[in-house]
Amino acid sequence: MIKLVGVGLDFGATKALDGVDLAVAAGDVVAVTGPSGCGKSTLLHVLAGLLRPDRGEVSVGGTDLTSANDQARTRWRLENCGFVFQLGDLVPELTLLDNVALPLDGLRAKNARERARDTLGELGIAELADRFPDQVSGGQAQRAAIARALVHNPPLVLADEPTGSLDQDSGSKVLDLLLRAVSDRGATVVLATHERRLAAAAHREIRMLDGRVVA
Ligand SMILES: Nc1ncnc2c1ncn2[C@@H]1O[C@H](COP(=O)(O)OP(=O)(O)OP(=O)(O)O)[C@@H](O)[C@H]1O
């Protein structure tokens, strides 16, 4: 599903990624760990096609993201990627239902809303569909963000500290829901985290330091 060969990316003098080789099979759940600033988020952004590396090759689901132009990478991302951020990143002016329906732009409105409602139900918050993000708890907002990342059944789900803003209890619940939903779909997951507990729930852990994979 994912193949990186010799991937390097610089921000000025900082080597955010420095010769990363990585292979991830379809359906794998991989945790990327390491200290602050080691390159975890940068790696996720490269996998999503949001950043193009300066060196090396990136192929995801058979698509060569190194040679694709911005437009092709954006189209690829909308169809193939779900992204969960630490703070949910819901659109404040939209209800949870409309937030979740966002990636379904191409579907006729009624179908999109039905599917969004079903996915909210899967995450256990169907009854909150018509509330706005500032009318729900952090854990509930994070569940909606996960529903939005999964609603179009993307083959690849990228999660950057998905429970980082939650207390331990609701973080564990949200993580369980995320892992169950991706396993039901057979999706591949790459999860950046500081937390041992999250890393332990993955099939595999990749440890980074100074832009390199060290274990
Ligand atoms: N847009 C940017 N401009 C300049 N430097 C950047 C930028 N984004 C990241 N960096 C630098 O690249 C390095 C890797 O950053 P990255 O965000 O990938 O780390 P991280 O492991 O995700 O950190 P954290 O765990 O704190 O989120 C850091 O040294 C960071 O300061």
Side-chain angles (χ1 to χ4, degrees):
M1 180 71 189
I2 295 173
K3 189 163 186 217
L4 267 61
V5 181
V7 168
L9 189 147
D10 306 333
F11 291 112
T14 304
K15 286 186 184 308
L17 297 177
D18 187 13
V20 172
D21 297 322
L22 181 63
V24 177
D28 246 359
V29 177
V30 175
V32 182
T33 63
S36 181
C38 70
K40 302 184 292 295
S41 297
T42 307
L43 177 65
L44 259 54
H45 284 83
V46 165
L47 293 175
L50 285 162
L51 288 173
R52 203 200 317 233
D54 298 311
R55 297 170 294 282
E57 290 161 32
V58 181
S59 154
V60 182
T63 300
D64 176 0
L65 291 180
T66 337
S67 59
N69 64 23
D70 286 355
Q71 199 185 0
R73 289 207 314 271
T74 301
R75 203 171 46 234
W76 174 87
R77 181 169 57 253
L78 291 174
E79 286 169 10
N80 293 282
C81 244
F83 218 116
V84 188
F85 299 95
Q86 176 172 357
L87 292 172
D89 216 34
L90 297 172
V91 180
E93 296 82 8
L94 296 181
T95 63
L96 299 195
L97 184 72
D98 288 340
N99 264 285
V100 174
L102 277 176
L104 299 174
D105 218 19
L107 281 184
R108 289 216 339 262
K110 187 159 175 284
N111 288 345
R113 292 172 74 82
E114 271 170 20
R115 212 151 115 186
R117 203 175 285 278
D118 287 349
T119 313
L120 279 170
E122 201 183 334
L123 275 299
I125 51 167
E127 74 284 5
L128 304 178
D130 298 322
R131 292 216 204 153
F132 290 89
D134 66 356
Q135 297 172 329
V136 300
S137 73
Q140 291 164 340
Q142 204 59 352
R143 291 190 204 195
I146 291 170
R148 186 181 57 184
L150 297 174
V151 71
H152 53 313
N153 290 327
L156 177 63
V157 175
L158 301 167
D160 198 352
E161 301 280 358
T163 63
S165 62
L166 305 176
D167 64 54
Q168 188 155 337
D169 256 12
S170 67
S172 292
K173 276 193 200 120
V174 165
L175 178 68
D176 285 349
L177 285 164
L178 171 65
L179 293 179
R180 192 175 332 139
V182 290
S183 137
D184 287 349
R185 288 167 169 76
T188 307
V189 184
V190 182
L191 177 86
T193 184
H194 284 109
E195 296 179 63
R196 306 290 334 149
R197 185 169 55 84
L198 254 70
H203 302 161
R204 195 147 74 94
E205 177 180 351
I206 286 165
R207 220 166 301 152
M208 293 185 70
L209 186 66
D210 295 337
R212 295 175 159 274
V213 174
V214 291

